[in-house]
Amino acid sequence: MRVLSLSLKQAAPQPPNPMTPEMQELLAQLRDIHEPAPIGWWPPAPGWWILAAALIALTFAGIMLYSRLRQKRRRNLYRAEGVRLLQALDLTAPRAIEDINLLLKRVAVVTFGRQSPGPLTGQNWIRFLESSSEVPLPENARRALLENLYSGADGDPQSLESLRAFAIDWVRKHRSESESERPAAQHAPAKEVEVV
């Protein structure tokens, strides 16, 4: 056992060689590992700039679209009001044809001004209505408008319903003065010229 203990003593590690002054100097020059500074949030990467520009452009486009739709809705508010009034008309009431014609005139005056459709009557009024919209005037509605409007007679219910349906379509689909291909002066009746 003694032999074994002696061999264990001999196998024990020996202390390292003492450090030389050069080694100590080299060790003194070593520093701890320095981590790089954390990445700051400013300035952002190019992808963030692109995203910000896209969001600004989309916001601006959305605001423009909203304002145009709102302006269009406000410009066409008279159409919705005209359709509502035409649908609310009681066709069994006396002189319902006058009420339909009056609403058509009101919408025409709002759209084209008083000078163009205001003084029109009879065939000139019907030509104006047909030329300012692609909606054709049914024959029984034409007859009711020409014959019964100023005669004091009430039209038959079928022609009144046909006239109201035409009026509703006309109010919804007529072209405004800016959309019309012809100037408003062409809708006015021709003035008679005296030959001397």
Side-chain angles (χ1 to χ4, degrees), residues 145-160:
L145 200 54
L146 286 175
E147 296 171 5
N148 299 338
L149 184 60
Y150 300 110
S151 69
D154 291 330
D156 63 293
Q158 184 180 6
S159 61
L160 285 175

Side-chain angles (χ1 to χ4, degrees), residues 42-56:
W42 193 261
W48 288 110
W49 285 109
I50 293 170
L51 181 64
L55 286 176
I56 290 170

Side-chain angles (χ1 to χ4, degrees), residues 102 105-120 125 128 177 184 188-189:
L102 178 66
K105 283 272 188 172
R106 284 172 58 189
V107 171
V109 165
V110 165
T111 306
F112 297 98
R114 190 167 298 279
Q115 284 72 23
S116 183
L120 297 179
W125 173 237
F128 171 81
E177 194 170 77

Side-chain angles (χ1 to χ4, degrees), residues 13-47:
Q14 302 213 352
N17 292 339
M19 292 192 358
T20 62
E22 293 94 27
M23 290 174 79
Q24 287 178 356
E25 189 178 320
L26 287 175
L27 274 177
Q29 291 177 5
L30 289 178
R31 305 256 188 261
D32 283 341
I33 297 174
H34 293 286
E35 294 180 9
I39 297 174
W41 64 275
W42 193 261

